[in-house]
Amino acid sequence: MNKNKNNKGDKILIIYQSISETSLILNLLKKYPLGKCVILVTGGKHFMPVLKKLKISTTFRAQIYSFHALSLKNPLNIFRMYFDVYFSEKSKKLSLENFKKAIFFSKYEDFLAPIFLSKKNIEKIYLIDN
């Protein structure tokens, strides 16, 4: 059987939460074929310029989605985050992707990663203790 180039079932989800993960993520992107990785940025909007400067989306053809936790000092932020995670355009696009594996680095500080991991049926989930 001929594999379709657009087969989304073999993509890799990489969850980017901390600046200390940048070099590890670059190594992961080099390991997989172009266009096979999707980066989910949960560490804050300030990481987006880092990815842009590194030309991740052009060099590795990685798709990048950003979802950020908001301050819980304002109770309305809980609803904003809920709608962003479940009903935004980027969330709908991400939900169309199928992933063979997911890789994340932080096991304590990121509460958005478990939400996305629970929404998808992923074969293997790897925690890299950074």
Side-chain angles (χ1 to χ4, degrees):
M1 178 164 51
N2 197 5
K3 275 199 169 185
N4 186 350
K5 204 175 189 182
N6 294 326
N7 184 4
K8 295 181 180 182
D10 57 354
K11 287 207 172 180
I12 310 300
L13 177 66
I14 301 172
I15 300 174
Y16 182 31
Q17 203 273 331
S18 170
I19 198 70
S20 65
E21 300 159 4
T22 306
S23 62
L24 295 170
I25 289 173
L26 287 172
N27 286 332
L28 284 171
L29 291 170
K30 291 175 187 173
K31 178 180 175 183
Y32 295 106
L34 293 178
K36 292 295 182 185
C37 294
V38 174
I39 298 175
L40 177 64
V41 180
T42 62
K45 291 179 182 179
H46 53 281
F47 292 126
M48 298 307 288
V50 172
L51 295 176
K52 187 174 183 176
K53 193 169 221 168
L54 292 171
K55 299 178 182 177
I56 298 296
S57 60
T58 55
T59 305
F60 299 101
R61 291 191 218 146
Q63 294 173 295
I64 301 172
Y65 296 93
S66 62
F67 293 89
H68 309 291
L70 301 173
S71 169
L72 296 180
K73 291 178 184 176
N74 180 353
L76 292 177
N77 284 343
I78 293 170
F79 298 108
R80 288 183 187 134
M81 288 187 293
Y82 179 83
F83 283 106
D84 191 34
V85 168
Y86 288 98
F87 301 109
S88 67
E89 279 301 312
K90 59 186 174 184
S91 176
K92 290 175 186 176
K93 286 181 184 176
L94 186 60
S95 69
L96 296 174
E97 298 285 355
N98 293 313
F99 299 103
K100 180 178 169 181
K101 66 172 87 168
I103 302 166
F104 69 106
F105 300 89
S106 209
K107 56 185 173 181
Y108 298 113
E109 299 169 16
D110 188 359
F111 67 88
L112 288 174
I115 292 170
F116 284 102
L117 293 172
S118 70
K119 287 175 59 173
K120 303 300 289 179
N121 187 14
I122 302 170
E123 278 182 41
K124 295 180 182 181
I125 299 174
Y126 296 94
L127 167 66
I128 299 176
D129 198 0
N130 189 17

